[in-house]
Amino acid sequence: MGPALRKLDGEDALEDAREKHYEAVFFLYIGDIEGGLWELYSELAKKRISQCYFYHISAANLPQSILVEAIPTVLVFKDDNYYWYTAPSSEVPSKQSLDNWLMEERLLLFPELMNGNFHEFMASRKNIVILIVNKNIANKLVKTEKKIFDMATDVAVEYKKSDNALFQFCWLDGSELVNSIVMHFVNEPGLVVLNSTTYQYYEFEADLTTVTADNIKRFLSSIQNDTAVAYGGNSIFHRIRRMFF
């Protein structure tokens, strides 16, 4: 498994890390290896070593192309970009807030949802936006579903750029997993949103082959402002615990 924390000596080392984890996620502490934020980061790196990759670099060795608001700080690198940790308003960094951020950011922008990583999505404390598609025998999307996939990806990118932290997007090959959670057949292609804290779910009832990105965004907005019809709850919670935990 290797050490919990790996030191980067300069721009080349950071670039190597970005290439190595191009389709994954890693975290980077920037600053002196002392002080409150460093202690929190190093402690959580040891705790989360099996779930994430953790690095550290001094401010002197940080490439000028990496812009930060302050030092020390923690960045997450993913989806060919990077984002920095911000403590809750008017608070100093705490172990809980940093750990929550690590768990929220360890997923890619639009990853595949599978039985083996379902618990990671549920640990995000977000609304899990699940696009259900169906690959053909050649493990490829048909033209219609590829268009829907690209549309959902664009929505995910837009939400990330707007710093909307309420939703985590993902896609699922076939509806079997979702069917077993909601206890009925979901259309393919389809869209279901599962709240990872309340265990309620929402179904997008329109035909995805005929809608636009704006239709999807209005659906997500209705969830955000509590006007969408929610199903499930406690019964879903117990079903998920039996299935995955």
Side-chain angles (χ1 to χ4, degrees):
M1 184 177 294
L5 274 165
R6 296 171 172 85
K7 181 180 179 181
L8 301 180
D9 294 321
E11 184 172 358
D12 289 344
L14 177 56
E15 192 59 35
D16 287 344
R18 297 187 74 171
E19 291 181 4
K20 178 180 179 181
H21 304 298
Y22 181 74
E23 295 184 349
V25 175
F26 72 90
F27 296 95
L28 176 67
Y29 170 88
I30 303 167
D32 296 330
I33 51 175
E34 61 181 11
L37 184 59
W38 166 254
E39 292 176 1
L40 294 175
Y41 180 77
S42 57
E43 180 181 351
L44 289 171
K46 295 173 184 176
K47 175 183 177 182
R48 302 294 186 185
I49 183 175
S50 65
Q51 300 168 295
C52 311
Y53 297 97
F54 295 90
Y55 295 87
H56 66 95
I57 191 172
S58 68
N61 287 330
L62 184 70
Q64 293 184 352
S65 59
I66 304 299
L67 304 178
V68 297
E69 293 184 328
I71 295 176
T73 190
V74 179
L75 304 183
V76 58
F77 286 80
K78 63 179 185 178
D79 303 308
D80 201 28
N81 209 333
Y82 64 90
Y83 311 91
W84 49 82
Y85 162 72
T86 303
S89 180
S90 72
E91 290 185 20
V92 296
S94 68
K95 181 179 178 180
Q96 187 63 58
S97 69
L98 180 57
D99 194 33
N100 287 345
W101 182 78
L102 295 176
M103 292 299 94
E104 291 170 1
E105 293 293 342
R106 66 177 174 155
L107 295 170
L108 293 168
L109 177 73
F110 197 33
E112 182 178 6
L113 173 64
M114 298 176 286
N115 285 350
N117 64 7
F118 183 81
H119 65 285
E120 296 182 20
F121 289 87
M122 296 306 291
S124 70
R125 305 182 303 116
K126 297 184 180 183
N127 288 293
I128 313 303
V129 184
I130 307 170
L131 174 68
I132 300 117
V133 292
N134 207 325
K135 292 183 176 180
N136 61 22
I137 195 170
N139 202 35
K140 295 181 179 179
L141 297 172
V142 298
K143 184 176 181 180
T144 302
E145 295 199 352
K146 179 65 167 60
K147 180 179 179 181
I148 295 169
F149 189 94
D150 291 343
M151 178 174 61
T153 302
D154 290 341
V155 174
V157 170
E158 184 174 336
Y159 270 69
K160 184 63 179 179
K161 287 181 177 179
S162 67
D163 290 328
N164 190 314
L166 293 178
F167 298 98
Q168 169 63 51
F169 293 78
C170 62
W171 63 275
L172 180 65
D173 183 12
S175 61
E176 183 177 352
L177 175 60
V178 168
N179 293 342
S180 62
I181 294 173
V182 304
M183 294 300 290
H184 66 260
F185 289 103
V186 177
N187 291 332
E188 299 176 12
L191 190 68
V192 172
V193 178
L194 176 63
N195 187 307
S196 63
T197 57
T198 67
Y199 292 88
Q200 294 177 312
Y201 69 91
Y202 309 83
E203 284 194 63
F204 185 70
E205 297 181 352
D207 182 354
L208 279 178
T209 63
T210 63
V211 303
T212 65
D214 286 338
N215 297 129
I216 295 177
K217 287 186 286 186
R218 280 195 291 271
F219 170 61
L220 298 180
S221 294
S222 71
I223 296 172
Q224 189 169 346
N225 60 31
D226 294 324
T227 59
V229 178
Y231 304 93
N234 192 53
S235 61
I236 298 293
F237 167 76
H238 291 295
R239 191 174 303 130
I240 288 174
R241 285 193 65 85
R242 287 196 300 270
M243 292 170 59
F244 301 102
F245 298 95

